[in-house]
């Protein structure tokens, strides 16, 4: 379980996070949603340690990483897998080398064991016969799968996904969402997904946290979210007049 | 940047990356260093021959001696360093800048990798080792370039030229060349790494960082070159 408590973050005079508290459950897909500029990415970056919050705590199963030294934090980071918005695959390495990199860096496994593990992870994300290809040779969906394979190769306890569906067509987005959900349940991972894709919310949102202007505005499940009838969250979910109209018709 | 001198997570990975960088910097720059140094050696021989002919008091075999001194003390280290600042420096800055913008550095960080130690130190270390080797090659090719130009222009015979090259050789010149090469390798790589690693923004900033890496490296190299000559000569 990951808990964030009263996280605040300023960039100069601009306060991006104004005191966000939330709990992200183990074995569930926890979604952070919100409009662009609502503070989703900053929240995620604070959680994974890429940004330091100005105030507040972040607890990974009770371990406060905000008070940890760099060396201690490294141990927690080894339990984290992350799928980046742009996948962040290393251009100079092949898919196999990309996925193998954390194993090369942090384990004493033999090359054969590492390759076995890499192949297992690539199979798990349905990415076969791409071991020797380079990121530049892959489609957007394949890159996301490779990124996901790299994120899970070390058996992480925590999986973070930043806009996993950005740049993908709706069908591939659903495939990636399902993969994230399956992996979360299969390995009992605490997964935190940062998205503004309502298909993802409805598909995998076991728990949804809606941010608005740097504050937590709403928290619930994807079942509960449809009962919202007004306010910022309603505007976010039913962004277009067409959807609003559809919602109203369904209600009556 | 102080983290770049801390102990790497896995020495084998660190050395693998260092050798990869050394290969990229060394082999990747060999052709341009070879071409430029050969022609710099050749053109300086032509210039000296022209001057000596005009004066008509200095024996032509002196050109070999001047070529050797000039290449070892000044031309090979400085011109190689400036070329490498342009080629390797901009490459380092844009590579690291692109990695920063495309979140590849963040990916390393999240894995728990000490990114400065893994990404910066191998580049600096590789430069410190490879630049002196390239400079040695530049010296040899520059001297051969001078010989070739002399033969083509019929300024001196082979034996005259190499008599000059061997005449009054001072090993201390090689010490100065080595000091310059190591310092220039360090300046070029560290300035470029710093500019690339600290990029913020997008592709325009990568371009700016790359340009600044070349400009600042070149300026520092020229200034340090003066002080090394001033102190050691």
């Amino acid at each position: 379980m990951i808990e964030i408590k009263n996280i605040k973050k300023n960039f100069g005079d601009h306060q991006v996070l104004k005191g966000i508290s939330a709990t992200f459950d183990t074995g569930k897909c926890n979604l952070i949603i919100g409009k662009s500029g609502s503070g989703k990415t900053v929240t995620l970056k604070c959680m994974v340690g890429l940004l330091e919050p100005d105030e507040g705590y972040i607890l990974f199963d009770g371990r406060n990483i905000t008070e940890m030294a760099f060396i201690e934090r490294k141990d927690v980071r080894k339990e984290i897998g992350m799928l980046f918005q742009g996948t962040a695959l290393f251009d100079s390495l092949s898919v196999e080398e990309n996925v193998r990199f954390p194993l090369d860096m942090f384990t004493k496994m033999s090359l054969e064991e590492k390759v076995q593990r890499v192949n297992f992870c690539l199979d798990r994300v349905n990415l076969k016969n791409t071991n020797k290809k380079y990121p530049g040779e892959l489609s957007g969906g394949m890159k996301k799968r490779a990124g996901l394979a790299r994120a899970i190769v070390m058996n992480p306890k925590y999986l973070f996904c930043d806009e996993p569906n950005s740049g993908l067509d709706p069908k591939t987005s659903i495939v990636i969402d399902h993969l994230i959900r399956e992996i979360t349940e299969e390995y009992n991972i605490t997964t935190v997904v940062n998205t503004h894709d309502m298909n993802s919310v409805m598909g995998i949102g076991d728990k949804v946290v809606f941010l608005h202007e740097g504050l937590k505005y709403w928290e619930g499940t994807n079942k509960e979210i449809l009962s919202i009838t007004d306010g910022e969250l309603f505007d976010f979910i039913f962004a277009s007049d067409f959807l609003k109209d559809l919602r109203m018709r369904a209600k009556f | 940047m102080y983290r770049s001198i801390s102990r790497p997570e896995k020495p084998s990975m660190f050395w693998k990356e260092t050798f990869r960088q050394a290969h990229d910097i060394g082999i990747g720059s060999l052709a341009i260093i070879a071409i430029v140094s050969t022609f710099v050696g050749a053109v300086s021989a032509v210039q000296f021959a022209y001057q000596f002919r005009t004066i008509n008091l200095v024996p032509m075999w002196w050109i070999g001696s001047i070529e050797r001194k000039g290449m070892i003390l000044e031309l090979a280290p400085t011109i190689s360093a400036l070329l490498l600042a342009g080629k390797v420096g901009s490459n380092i800055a844009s590579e690291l800048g692109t990695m920063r913008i495309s979140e590849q550095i963040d990916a390393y960080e999240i894995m728990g990798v000490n990114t400065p130690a893994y990404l910066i130190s191998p580049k600096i270390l590789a430069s410190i080792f490879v630049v002196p080797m390239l400079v040695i090659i530049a010296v040899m090719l520059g001297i051969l370039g001078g010989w070739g130009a002399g033969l083509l222009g019929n300024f001196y015979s082979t034996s005259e030229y190499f008599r000059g090259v061997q005449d009054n050789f001072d090993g201390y010149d090689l010490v100065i060349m080595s000091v310059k090469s190591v310092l220039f390798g360090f300046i070029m790589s560290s300035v470029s790494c710093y500019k690339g690693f600290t990029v913020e923004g997008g592709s325009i900033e990568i371009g700016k960082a790359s340009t600044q890496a070349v400009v600042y490296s070149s300026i520092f190299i020229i200034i340090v070159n003066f002080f090394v000559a001033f102190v050691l000569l």
Side-chain angles (χ1 to χ4, degrees):
Chain A
M1 186 171 72
I2 303 171
E3 293 167 82
I4 56 173
K5 291 184 178 176
N6 197 31
I7 294 292
K8 292 181 183 173
K9 180 71 186 171
N10 293 352
F11 290 102
D13 296 335
H14 180 48
Q15 191 171 25
V16 178
L17 303 183
K18 298 170 182 169
I20 295 175
S21 299
T23 304
F24 302 101
D25 302 327
T26 304
K28 287 184 179 174
C29 287
N30 304 273
L31 269 60
I32 302 175
I33 62 169
K35 285 188 258 183
S36 299
S38 59
K40 301 189 300 287
T41 302
V42 175
T43 305
L44 201 78
K45 284 191 172 180
C46 285
M47 288 170 77
V48 297
L50 289 174
L51 289 173
E52 291 293 329
D54 297 328
E55 278 183 52
Y57 301 102
I58 298 161
L59 304 167
F60 283 72
D61 290 312
R63 294 169 295 173
N64 185 353
I65 65 154
T66 46
E67 289 180 349
M68 284 179 184
F70 175 73
I71 299 289
E72 293 173 289
R73 198 177 283 194
K74 269 171 67 173
D75 292 333
V76 178
R77 281 184 168 176
K78 285 173 195 166
E79 297 173 359
I80 292 175
M82 181 150 179
L83 174 60
F84 286 85
Q85 186 174 356
T87 70
L89 292 171
F90 308 132
D91 299 325
S92 58
L93 304 180
S94 66
V95 169
E96 183 181 304
E97 289 165 335
N98 259 285
V99 180
R100 210 179 67 204
F101 185 85
L103 301 173
D104 286 338
M105 191 57 109
F106 298 112
T107 71
K108 290 180 178 172
M109 292 163 80
S110 68
L111 182 63
E112 195 182 321
E113 287 170 323
K114 284 188 274 195
V115 172
Q116 254 180 10
R117 175 71 188 153
V118 168
N119 287 335
F120 172 80
C121 291
L122 290 173
D123 279 353
R124 186 64 198 81
V125 298
N126 303 321
L127 196 62
K128 291 172 186 170
N129 305 321
T130 54
N131 291 40
K132 301 299 170 199
K133 288 192 172 170
Y134 282 82
E137 300 173 276
L138 303 180
S139 68
M142 290 163 93
K143 279 184 190 170
K144 294 276 182 185
R145 286 164 198 258
L148 193 54
R150 188 178 67 183
I152 62 169
V153 75
M154 291 284 279
N155 274 326
K157 285 171 76 175
Y158 316 100
L159 178 64
F160 293 88
C161 305
D162 188 14
E163 307 274 5
N165 299 332
S166 70
L168 298 182
D169 63 83
K171 265 194 167 179
T172 314
S173 297
I174 291 168
V175 172
I176 297 292
D177 281 345
H178 285 167
L179 264 174
I180 292 170
R181 171 168 222 143
E182 284 166 20
I183 286 164
T184 301
E185 288 173 353
E186 209 171 309
Y187 303 108
N188 200 32
I189 298 172
T190 307
T191 297
V192 181
V193 181
N194 190 355
T195 185
H196 50 230
D197 182 354
M198 280 311 294
N199 285 329
S200 298
V201 174
M202 298 319 296
I204 61 168
D206 299 326
K207 183 169 189 175
V208 183
V209 174
F210 176 68
L211 301 186
H212 179 66
E213 293 181 352
L215 287 168
K216 185 174 79 177
Y217 188 91
W218 184 88
E219 188 176 343
T221 66
N222 55 358
K223 308 280 183 301
E224 292 164 349
I225 207 167
L226 288 175
S227 61
I228 299 295
T229 52
D230 56 7
E232 292 296 335
L233 182 54
F234 181 82
D235 285 344
F236 176 78
I237 304 166
F238 304 102
S240 70
D241 291 339
F242 170 72
L243 283 174
K244 273 183 194 151
D245 187 42
L246 212 64
R247 167 84 177 110
M248 287 313 196
R249 281 165 196 256
K251 201 176 171 187
F252 294 109
Chain B
M1 297 293 275
Y2 74 94
R3 273 170 56 198
S4 63
I5 52 169
S6 59
R7 193 172 171 273
E9 277 83 15
K10 200 165 188 179
S12 60
M13 292 287 282
F14 174 82
W15 288 112
K16 189 178 165 190
E17 180 62 12
T18 304
F19 284 118
R20 191 178 75 84
Q21 291 296 335
H23 177 271
D24 286 356
I25 297 169
I27 305 295
S29 311
L30 203 54
I32 189 167
I33 291 286
I35 293 166
V36 172
S37 55
T38 305
F39 282 93
V40 164
V43 79
S44 16
V46 172
Q47 295 282 358
F48 287 127
Y50 169 71
Q51 298 285 337
F52 284 11
R53 269 183 180 168
T54 315
I55 300 165
N56 210 18
L57 287 171
V58 187
M60 281 301 199
W61 63 264
W62 276 27
I63 292 174
S65 180
I66 295 168
E67 280 278 316
R68 186 203 69 221
K69 277 260 182 205
M71 288 306 293
I72 291 176
L73 287 176
E74 195 55 54
L75 291 174
T78 313
I79 288 180
S80 301
L82 291 174
L83 278 174
L84 291 170
K87 186 189 172 291
V88 179
S90 64
N91 188 33
I92 288 174
S94 54
E95 181 188 326
L96 288 177
T98 306
M99 288 180 82
R100 170 67 75 195
I101 303 298
S102 63
E103 296 178 310
Q104 291 177 49
I105 292 178
D106 290 345
Y108 281 120
E109 288 278 349
I110 286 169
M111 285 175 196
V113 176
N114 178 356
T115 45
Y118 182 68
L119 294 175
I120 294 177
S121 302
K123 289 180 171 60
I124 295 177
L125 203 59
S127 294
I128 286 173
F129 278 103
V130 169
V131 172
M133 292 181 199
L134 289 171
V135 169
I136 291 169
I137 293 168
V139 168
M140 292 192 294
L141 291 174
I143 291 170
L144 288 176
W147 167 62
L151 289 186
L152 273 176
N154 207 21
F155 307 135
Y156 37 70
S157 67
T158 299
S159 59
E160 273 184 317
Y161 182 74
F162 284 104
R163 178 189 165 195
V165 169
Q166 292 169 50
D167 181 63
N168 204 17
F169 178 77
D170 187 355
Y172 184 64
D173 292 351
L174 293 179
V175 174
I176 294 170
M177 182 196 77
S178 306
V179 170
K180 281 188 176 183
S181 308
V182 169
L183 281 174
F184 294 165
F186 175 77
I187 290 167
M188 178 215 39
S189 53
S190 54
V191 169
S192 306
C193 283
Y194 177 77
K195 296 307 293 182
F197 201 77
T198 54
V199 162
E200 281 179 9
S203 54
I204 292 173
E205 282 73 18
I206 295 174
K208 280 182 185 168
S210 184
T211 308
Q212 284 174 352
V214 176
V215 171
Y216 292 149
S217 299
S218 304
I219 291 170
F220 283 133
I221 285 166
I222 294 293
I223 293 170
V224 169
N225 184 41
F226 165 73
F227 283 106
V228 171
F230 193 77
V231 171
L232 296 181
L233 286 176

